[in-house]
Amino acid sequence: MLGSLLQAVRQTHPLIHCITNYVTINDCANILLAAGASPIMADAPEEAAAVTARSQGLTLNLGTLHAERIPAMLASGRQANASGIPAVLDPVGAGVSAFRAGAARQLLEAVQFAVIRGNLSEIRALADAGSHACGVDAGDSLTPQTLDACLELAGQLSRRTGAVVAVTGETDLVTDGETAYCIHNGHPMMRSVTGTGCQLSCLTAAFVAASPGQPLQAAAAAVCAMGLCGETAYARLSPADGNAAYRDKILDAVYRLTPAQLEEGARYELR
Amino acid sequence: MLGSLLQAVRQTHPLIHCITNYVTINDCANILLAAGASPIMADAPEEAAAVTARSQGLTLNLGTLHAERIPAMLASGRQANASGIPAVLDPVGAGVSAFRAGAARQLLEAVQFAVIRGNLSEIRALADAGSHACGVDAGDSLTPQTLDACLELAGQLSRRTGAVVAVTGETDLVTDGETAYCIHNGHPMMRSVTGTGCQLSCLTAAFVAASPGQPLQAAAAAVCAMGLCGETAYARLSPADGNAAYRDKILDAVYRLTPAQLEEGARYELR
Amino acid sequence: MLGSLLQAVRQTHPLIHCITNYVTINDCANILLAAGASPIMADAPEEAAAVTARSQGLTLNLGTLHAERIPAMLASGRQANASGIPAVLDPVGAGVSAFRAGAARQLLEAVQFAVIRGNLSEIRALADAGSHACGVDAGDSLTPQTLDACLELAGQLSRRTGAVVAVTGETDLVTDGETAYCIHNGHPMMRSVTGTGCQLSCLTAAFVAASPGQPLQAAAAAVCAMGLCGETAYARLSPADGNAAYRDKILDAVYRLTPAQLEEGARYELR
């Protein structure tokens, strides 16, 4: 089933509008091209909504956030809702500053997201911001040991926002508040490459855009694909290669990934 | 003849001021270094003209346009004209929003460009914006089939603006409104790498800056060089390589390109 | 001794806050990860100081400077001083425009830097800006021939600012105004890769942050490490490789560099 979701991306070439940070913006564009989608980056308030209106999906990423990018994100998010195309939120560093937490809150209030994807501390920052509940303690990272607590946290955020929530870490979780994919693809060295999370959020938008009505499965397929490509790329490293070679080989693995390979290589269980 | 135009870049090391988008800005800097030129990126209105005044060429690129970058572009474009150095316009996404189309129009009114380089839809957006003529229908992309209509469109824009116009696609055109180079270098996989067009615009500025008084030939040489490097790089790909390896190998091919290889590998006819 | 300074980075994983240009920001993040440090990029005035307060080191880089980034830099620099964490200044293009020179002056007045790192023209711009003395003529680049004059210039700037001053070129100098490391690592092809200087400034912040109280030795170790990795990476190039392959192989060399290799490969003398 997951293979057909990649096939849909390669066949429909969705145009994905990304309002994202400047650290990893080039890799975000190239991973979309690698997957068969098309990227368009535009973050000026003057044109953000117009660009979204031409697109099939939207990613909003809070990295290197600037004040003037917030109205652009709000306008694009609302346009995505009006157009009926999926919007993905990547709350990069939402727990790092009140500025980013406030922007995340504004966006969650104004926009119906199809998917929210972050690491555990980012997802917890969103959950706390909304509920003011502090009882949830899922630890600092998503591991097999913290899985149950994370599932609870992600499920609550999903039910509250109506978005599929994807939490990535040593294990990955993707849930719509009822069903959860626990995904075991990936490699620890991916943490040594800046922006693999940002790239995954863009990839998720492409998968969700290409398979309307299946955001849970499509987000899970994107997470499996990224992790699987991290494994494939790691296997191609020579002893002298480091994180720069790895960055490129992950993108190359996405470029070469076939639906059959994704189908066979995805390792997950449903909860 | 084209080989000597590359030789001029490698011998004179022109400093090229780029006001460009943040998606491909790193690749733009590296392709200039690969060709033997020097890049300087500066897009604040406070210093744009001063930086241009120290440079031998200028590239203005409309990708990820922000409002405050427009006065910087206008100031740098005027300084380039005052200094007698060539300015290249890359109207990225000029047809995507009224914001970018308006900026393109402002720039075309205020600045005499040496070269305008874009894909067919971008060039058509400029042509339409100026003439309000809608009769030209060159199709959606520049192919052998649409070549004649594209030549007509590019020639009109060239005569109206006084700039050499370069349209890139499956076939590439470079014309000054009288003579046209139809260029057959390149590889379709170049479309899978973000920013090959942006890189070409910077490369064009370097070629034109290094050979004053020959903008048509210099722009054609840059287009041939980029396409030829796309061919050379493609030949170096292994079966597991994808668009990230290809991106790097294109830059590497520019770094290694010799005047003799360009002379021999350029495939074009004059019209 | 230098090896243990790398070891400290790999063991303490310092979080380095970078306010830097958009040309090389991705490479800056990846070199920090390669060294075992963690990057965080944030340049909005609304959150700059808050991000610095969570970090162990700070780098301020004047490339692609924008007016609104200056208050962010000032706030972060002051926070670094208040927190007792090291701040590194990279005065990219300080001699290029009055805008950048003015920002450099503002920063030097408001912030106590642990290290200032630049090429000779940038360091001279800072020295001139402060002293209004024009007698120093160290030539255009730091070579064995201009070494004595450069030492004098760097020493003066160091004594005036209280910062360790690192001047990089064909030879590199690192001085605290009393002792100087003259460093002979590196390869000329590093000049063909955009941003090796920016990367070195970030790496320097990581080394200095990981070994409190030893800014001179730590900065020298970072400069040796970068140069040594430039040598290692050059040795790995194939005949068809160019500056893109070189860029990645430098980062990969940092990722693989061991304390023992740094200890053995560092080539310097004390003056």
Side-chain angles (χ1 to χ4, degrees):
Chain A
M1 206 279 286
L2 298 190
S4 66
L5 296 162
L6 171 60
Q7 189 63 18
V9 178
R10 299 226 189 266
Q11 285 176 342
T12 62
H13 309 297
L15 180 64
I16 306 301
H17 178 196
C18 306
I19 302 184
T20 189
N21 68 77
Y22 296 148
V23 186
T24 65
I25 191 168
N26 185 272
D27 294 327
C28 285
N30 274 326
I31 202 169
L32 286 169
L33 289 165
S38 287
I40 185 163
M41 273 62 182
D43 59 358
E46 292 87 349
E47 67 172 1
V51 171
T52 305
R54 292 169 165 268
S55 303
Q56 282 82 53
L58 173 70
T59 305
L60 304 180
N61 176 306
L62 298 186
T64 61
L65 187 66
H66 283 197
E68 73 268 26
R69 217 179 291 145
I70 299 174
M73 288 185 172
L74 287 167
S76 281
R78 288 178 177 126
Q79 179 63 52
N81 286 174
S83 298
I85 64 167
V88 173
L89 175 65
D90 186 334
V92 174
V96 164
S97 73
F99 177 56
R100 294 201 199 183
R105 198 159 41 233
Q106 268 190 283
L107 288 167
L108 285 173
E109 279 166 15
V111 179
Q112 173 61 54
F113 287 97
V115 184
I116 302 170
R117 191 219 64 83
N119 63 31
L120 181 54
S121 70
E122 292 158 354
I123 295 298
R124 187 189 291 118
L126 296 197
D128 290 351
S131 66
H132 297 287
C134 295
V136 177
D137 182 7
D140 276 344
S141 65
L142 177 41
T143 63
Q145 288 69 43
T146 61
L147 187 59
D148 286 338
C150 290
L151 255 176
E152 176 64 20
L153 179 76
Q156 283 175 9
L157 182 62
S158 178
R159 289 185 294 272
R160 179 163 66 83
T161 60
V164 168
V165 172
V167 194
T168 52
E170 188 184 318
T171 299
D172 304 315
L173 278 183
V174 183
T175 181
D176 63 358
E178 297 194 353
T179 306
Y181 287 75
C182 300
I183 298 171
H184 305 289
N185 291 107
H187 190 279
M189 191 174 161
M190 296 175 82
R191 288 196 297 268
S192 296
V193 175
T194 192
T196 50
C198 306
Q199 293 174 44
L200 172 53
S201 293
C202 293
L203 197 62
T204 301
F207 272 75
V208 173
S211 293
Q214 307 181 64
L216 176 66
Q217 294 80 357
V223 173
C224 288
M226 189 76 193
L228 180 58
C229 288
E231 297 167 24
T232 312
Y234 186 81
R236 287 186 66 211
L237 292 182
S238 78
D241 281 342
N243 59 335
Y246 193 39
R247 182 252 313 261
D248 281 0
K249 288 188 197 309
I250 293 171
L251 288 167
D252 286 352
V254 173
Y255 186 88
R256 296 290 175 188
L257 184 68
T258 65
Q261 287 167 341
L262 177 55
E263 194 72 44
E264 192 175 335
R267 290 182 292 126
Y268 63 90
E269 79 249 1
L270 290 169
R271 291 273 288 251
Chain B
M1 205 278 287
L2 298 190
S4 66
L5 296 162
L6 171 60
Q7 189 63 19
V9 178
R10 299 226 189 267
Q11 284 176 342
T12 62
H13 308 297
L15 179 64
I16 305 301
H17 179 197
C18 306
I19 302 184
T20 189
N21 68 77
Y22 296 148
V23 185
T24 65
I25 191 168
N26 185 272
D27 294 327
C28 286
N30 274 326
I31 201 168
L32 285 169
L33 289 165
S38 288
I40 184 163
M41 273 61 181
D43 60 358
E46 291 87 348
E47 66 172 1
V51 171
T52 305
R54 291 170 165 268
S55 303
Q56 282 82 52
L58 174 70
T59 305
L60 304 181
N61 176 304
L62 299 186
T64 60
L65 188 66
H66 284 196
E68 73 269 25
R69 218 179 290 146
I70 299 174
M73 288 184 173
L74 288 167
S76 281
R78 287 179 179 126
Q79 179 64 54
N81 286 173
S83 299
I85 64 166
V88 173
L89 175 65
D90 186 334
V92 174
V96 164
S97 72
F99 178 55
R100 293 200 200 184
R105 197 158 43 233
Q106 268 188 283
L107 287 167
L108 285 173
E109 279 165 16
V111 180
Q112 174 60 55
F113 286 97
V115 184
I116 302 169
R117 192 220 62 85
N119 63 31
L120 181 54
S121 71
E122 291 157 355
I123 294 300
R124 189 190 288 118
L126 296 197
D128 290 352
S131 66
H132 297 287
C134 294
V136 178
D137 182 8
D140 277 342
S141 64
L142 176 42
T143 63
Q145 288 70 44
T146 62
L147 187 60
D148 286 337
C150 290
L151 257 176
E152 175 64 20
L153 179 76
Q156 282 176 9
L157 181 63
S158 178
R159 288 185 294 272
R160 179 162 67 81
T161 60
V164 168
V165 172
V167 194
T168 52
E170 188 184 319
T171 298
D172 304 315
L173 277 182
V174 183
T175 181
D176 63 359
E178 297 194 354
T179 306
Y181 286 76
C182 299
I183 297 171
H184 305 288
N185 291 107
H187 190 279
M189 191 173 161
M190 295 176 82
R191 287 196 297 267
S192 296
V193 175
T194 192
T196 50
C198 306
Q199 292 175 44
L200 173 52
S201 293
C202 293
L203 197 62
T204 300
F207 272 75
V208 173
S211 293
Q214 307 181 65
L216 176 66
Q217 294 81 357
V223 172
C224 288
M226 189 77 193
L228 180 58
C229 288
E231 297 167 25
T232 311
Y234 186 80
R236 287 185 66 210
L237 293 181
S238 77
D241 282 342
N243 59 336
Y246 193 39
R247 183 252 312 259
D248 281 0
K249 288 188 199 309
I250 292 171
L251 288 167
D252 285 352
V254 173
Y255 186 87
R256 295 291 175 186
L257 184 67
T258 65
Q261 287 167 341
L262 176 56
E263 195 71 44
E264 192 175 337
R267 290 183 290 126
Y268 64 91
E269 79 250 1
L270 289 169
R271 291 273 288 250
Chain C
M1 205 277 289
L2 298 190
S4 66
L5 296 161
L6 171 60
Q7 189 63 18
V9 179
R10 299 227 188 267
Q11 285 176 342
T12 62
H13 308 298
L15 179 64
I16 306 300
H17 178 197
C18 306
I19 303 185
T20 189
N21 68 77
Y22 297 148
V23 185
T24 65
I25 191 168
N26 185 272
D27 293 327
C28 285
N30 274 326
I31 201 169
L32 286 169
L33 289 164
S38 289
I40 184 163
M41 273 63 182
D43 59 357
E46 291 87 349
E47 67 172 2
V51 171
T52 305
R54 292 169 166 269
S55 303
Q56 282 82 52
L58 174 69
T59 304
L60 304 181
N61 176 306
L62 298 186
T64 62
L65 187 66
H66 284 196
E68 73 269 24
R69 217 178 291 146
I70 298 175
M73 288 185 173
L74 287 167
S76 282
R78 288 179 178 127
Q79 179 64 54
N81 286 173
S83 299
I85 64 166
V88 173
L89 175 64
D90 187 336
V92 175
V96 165
S97 73
F99 177 55
R100 294 201 199 182
R105 200 160 38 233
Q106 268 189 282
L107 288 167
L108 285 173
E109 279 166 16
V111 179
Q112 174 61 54
F113 286 97
V115 184
I116 302 170
R117 192 220 63 83
N119 62 32
L120 181 54
S121 71
E122 291 157 355
I123 294 300
R124 189 189 290 119
L126 296 197
D128 291 351
S131 66
H132 296 286
C134 295
V136 178
D137 182 7
D140 276 344
S141 64
L142 177 40
T143 64
Q145 289 69 43
T146 61
L147 187 60
D148 285 336
C150 291
L151 256 175
E152 176 63 22
L153 179 76
Q156 282 176 8
L157 182 62
S158 178
R159 287 185 294 271
R160 180 164 64 82
T161 59
V164 169
V165 172
V167 194
T168 52
E170 188 184 319
T171 298
D172 304 315
L173 278 183
V174 183
T175 181
D176 62 359
E178 297 194 354
T179 306
Y181 287 76
C182 299
I183 298 171
H184 305 288
N185 291 109
H187 190 280
M189 191 174 161
M190 295 176 83
R191 288 196 296 267
S192 295
V193 176
T194 192
T196 50
C198 307
Q199 293 174 45
L200 172 54
S201 294
C202 293
L203 197 62
T204 300
F207 272 74
V208 174
S211 293
Q214 308 181 64
L216 176 66
Q217 294 79 359
V223 172
C224 288
M226 190 75 194
L228 181 58
C229 288
E231 297 167 24
T232 312
Y234 185 81
R236 287 185 66 211
L237 292 182
S238 77
D241 282 341
N243 59 335
Y246 193 39
R247 183 252 313 261
D248 281 1
K249 288 189 199 306
I250 293 171
L251 289 167
D252 286 353
V254 174
Y255 186 87
R256 295 291 175 187
L257 184 67
T258 65
Q261 287 166 342
L262 176 56
E263 194 70 44
E264 192 176 335
R267 291 183 290 126
Y268 64 91
E269 79 249 2
L270 289 170
R271 291 274 288 249

